[in-house]
Amino acid sequence: ATAFGVAGGIKPKDLLDTATNSNNQNAPNVVYRGQAPRMTGGGHAPTIIPVGDEVHHGFELRCNVTDHPQRLEINWGKGNSFHLTTLTSAQCLDDPAVEPDPPGAGFDTYIGSGTGRLKGGETGTAEWCFLDAGEPGTSDRIQVIVRDSSGTIILLFVDEFNQGNHQAHGQFPTSAPAGSCPALPTP
């Protein structure tokens, strides 16, 4: 992977060991991952369920469910958490009503779902939609639902103006499909 030049240099996180899907840059099967379409960011917002808590989130999610790494961490209340372990769906869309420039990514909306660890080691599921509405992030939006292993909603937050920043990166070979965040269930 070091035999060719990459603008900005090659970073260990951009190398992928194809045998293990890890970032082992010294493995014999390393390829350059490139800058595939992805969204990064984080922030905080008030919760709807449970009422009155504050939630903090951070993520780096790729538009292709098989790309790695896929990271999402959500923390709320007094020690509650969801840490993504498996991304089960990913869809990157271009909402025609939103312009994420700069940086001019080919999409602005990330819709996903996955399974993860909850506080105490229980398995939970999450569904989310992150929207990048440009810099400095004051118009970005977020909606997240986390369910416990019995399917009960333990976290719901929807923030019209996320207190943080989401950033869409990368282009698709063809235009991203049009779409926007779906409606979430009301409590």
Side-chain angles (χ1 to χ4, degrees), residues 27-167:
N29 305 334
V30 172
V31 296
Y32 177 64
R33 179 192 332 268
Q35 295 299 318
R38 69 195 192 290
M39 190 175 278
T40 60
H44 59 97
T47 60
I48 297 171
I49 298 174
V51 175
D53 278 348
E54 183 164 297
V55 65
H56 298 267
H57 71 287
F59 65 93
E60 178 179 5
L61 295 163
R62 286 161 172 70
C63 296
N64 183 335
V65 75
T66 62
D67 286 350
H68 294 278
Q70 303 282 6
R71 296 183 178 110
L72 171 64
E73 184 173 329
I74 303 169
N75 300 294
W76 71 97
K78 296 184 180 184
N80 296 305
S81 62
F82 173 86
H83 293 219
L84 182 68
T85 55
T86 304
L87 182 68
T88 54
S89 71
Q91 186 177 28
C92 291
L93 304 171
D94 183 24
D95 186 331
V98 175
E99 184 55 54
D101 286 336
F107 69 101
D108 49 46
T109 304
Y110 188 107
I111 300 170
S113 64
T115 60
R117 283 185 332 275
L118 299 173
K119 177 184 176 183
E122 179 184 356
T123 298
T125 61
E127 302 167 50
W128 59 85
C129 184
F130 300 127
L131 184 116
D132 174 10
E135 296 305 314
T138 54
S139 296
D140 292 353
R141 286 174 267 167
I142 183 171
Q143 51 191 50
V144 175
I145 298 174
V146 177
R147 292 182 171 87
D148 65 15
S149 59
S150 68
T152 301
I153 295 175
I154 58 171
L155 175 67
L156 173 63
F157 69 103
V158 178
D159 196 29
E160 187 65 25
F161 299 105
N162 175 45
Q163 297 172 41
N165 194 3
H166 299 154
Q167 187 75 61

Side-chain angles (χ1 to χ4, degrees), residues 18-35:
T18 58
T20 64
N21 276 337
S22 71
N23 289 19
N24 180 1
Q25 64 189 20
N26 298 317
N29 305 334
V30 172
V31 296
Y32 177 64
R33 179 192 332 268
Q35 295 299 318

